[in-house]
Amino acid sequence: MMESGCVATTIGAFDLFRGGEYLKRLIAGHGLPVVSANVYDELTGELFVEPYIIVERGGVKFGITGALDPETDIRTHNTVEQLGVTIGEPMETLAAVVEELHEKVDYVILLSQLGLAQSKLLVEEMPGIDFMLIGVAAQYAAKSFEVGGTVMMQPGYKGQRMSDYRLQFDEENAYLGYSGHTFDLGDKVPSDAAVALLLKEHKIAIEDANKRRAAARKPAADGAQAVAPYSEECLGVGATCQRCHQPQMDQWTETAHAKAFATLERGNQSSNPECLRCHTTCSMDLPLDGSARVQSNLRNVQCEVCHGKATDHARDGSYGKVTVATCLRCHDEENSADFDFAVYLPQVTH
């Protein structure tokens, strides 16, 4: 974020995955301004980070603050015994911060981790927020919209899209309007070589660390605990389907589904549980904490992903028909924004 010129960010649920103390060390070590008006240190009762930051662009002063939804489902790593933070009601905490900012700046920007519905409710009941960037949800808005006089932008999450808005002011710094939109960060937008290299090195480091942890958990002479295998009674194409459906098996091997796991290996994501859910078979409920592993015979998107468990088919001869809903479990807006059932289905039909 520092390399890309980010001037400020706020605390989200994923930032607290390893607890508050870990996050505090990261912030101190990297110098990225992190702001929040309603996240508190559990021990001291003080705000966990600065409530706001002030930046100036073209003679116009902006105050940037942030807020996290108190009802956020914060999932922590299994080594975290205590989160270390508490989350206050944003309506109560933001009011004082926004009032203070308007004494120092021309415009107030809120980095909202409240979700769309809560963000709308906030600006309807509390004036003074001029611009708002909404995070948390995968949904995005191609164009900004206004609620209660607040210009709201929703680029989605996980860095898949970017909102580019340009604000216009007159010589007296009076706000005239804006132009811009949200766009996909796809292949048409070239990557910065230095940042792309950092990202690749980061993924490789995580992949290596995950493999070392998995190896350490395998049964050993000292009785070390193994990583539990994960399966929902699925058997894999080689063990069952191939015996009766060889032509379909041959056709499947030529599809992208049969190479789904190799895609993860090339991207150094083959130990990432979030990716494994859709690039392997019967793993949609795979725990995200690394406590289970996908059996090697269930790698790739095999027959049972689309047609149901082979154990059920063997008992009564039924199998699942492929529908749009079948595909959307993985080809959703977040992971496959260009998905078109009519276009994709012929590529795997047999």
Side-chain angles (χ1 to χ4, degrees), residues 218-237:
K218 288 181 179 179
D222 59 0
Q225 182 64 38
V227 181
Y230 178 85
S231 172
E232 291 184 338
E233 299 181 349
C234 288
L235 304 176
V237 63

Side-chain angles (χ1 to χ4, degrees), residues 27-57:
I27 293 172
H30 290 81
L32 176 67
V34 181
V35 296
S36 179
N38 73 325
V39 177
Y40 296 88
D41 188 305
E42 193 171 41
L43 292 177
T44 66
E46 301 292 328
L47 281 171
F48 191 77
V49 293
E50 293 297 324
Y52 59 80
I53 186 175
I54 296 176
V55 298
E56 184 174 334
R57 294 291 184 271

Side-chain angles (χ1 to χ4, degrees), residues 30-276:
H30 290 81
L32 176 67
V34 181
V35 296
S36 179
N38 73 325
V39 177
Y40 296 88
D41 188 305
E42 193 171 41
L43 292 177
T44 66
E46 301 292 328
L47 281 171
F48 191 77
V49 293
E50 293 297 324
Y52 59 80
I53 186 175
I54 296 176
V55 298
E56 184 174 334
R57 294 291 184 271
V60 182
K61 289 184 178 180
F62 297 91
I64 305 174
T65 185
L68 177 63
D69 184 357
E71 302 300 320
T72 296
D73 180 18
I74 299 175
R75 300 180 183 181
T76 58
H77 191 270
N78 53 22
T79 61
V80 177
E81 297 181 1
Q82 191 169 356
L83 185 60
V85 302
T86 58
I87 306 169
E89 285 298 327
M91 194 72 70
E92 299 172 3
T93 56
L94 274 173
V97 171
V98 170
E99 183 178 357
E100 181 179 337
L101 277 174
H102 272 295
E103 297 177 356
K104 302 177 180 180
V105 303
D106 301 301
Y107 301 94
V108 173
I109 300 172
L110 174 64
L111 307 179
S112 172
Q113 289 283 317
L114 305 175
L116 180 58
Q118 284 284 83
S119 296
K120 287 181 175 180
L121 181 63
L122 178 73
V123 296
E124 286 172 351
E125 297 187 7
M126 191 185 75
I129 299 172
D130 301 294
F131 305 99
M132 182 185 295
L133 276 73
I134 305 170
V136 182
Q139 296 89 349
Y140 76 100
K143 295 288 184 180
S144 65
F145 51 95
E146 296 188 24
V147 177
T150 300
V151 178
M152 308 182 78
M153 307 165 196
Q154 188 176 15
Y157 72 165
K158 292 191 175 180
Q160 295 176 323
R161 299 176 184 87
M162 176 176 286
S163 289
D164 181 11
Y165 287 92
R166 308 303 170 98
L167 310 180
Q168 289 90 42
F169 302 88
D170 64 16
E171 294 180 355
E172 302 298 323
N173 291 342
Y175 172 61
L176 300 176
Y178 64 91
S179 61
H181 66 292
T182 295
F183 58 92
D184 292 334
L185 287 173
D187 294 337
K188 294 181 180 179
V189 181
S191 298
D192 178 89
V195 174
L197 179 59
L198 283 174
L199 181 59
K200 182 177 181 179
E201 292 173 345
H202 178 66
K203 289 180 177 179
I204 291 173
I206 291 176
E207 184 87 335
D208 289 344
N210 286 340
K211 288 179 178 178
R212 288 196 301 272
R213 291 192 194 100
R217 293 193 193 104
K218 288 181 179 179
D222 59 0
Q225 182 64 38
V227 181
Y230 178 85
S231 172
E232 291 184 338
E233 299 181 349
C234 288
L235 304 176
V237 63
T240 52
C241 312
Q242 185 176 6
R243 287 179 289 178
C244 299
H245 303 283
Q246 188 63 50
Q248 289 82 4
M249 170 74 173
D250 293 341
Q251 189 274 340
W252 169 80
T253 60
E254 300 300 318
T255 68
H257 279 173
K259 307 172 182 64
F261 190 78
T263 302
L264 296 186
E265 291 180 314
R266 288 195 299 272
N268 301 296
Q269 296 287 282
S270 63
S271 63
N272 185 339
E274 190 168 350
C275 299
L276 287 170

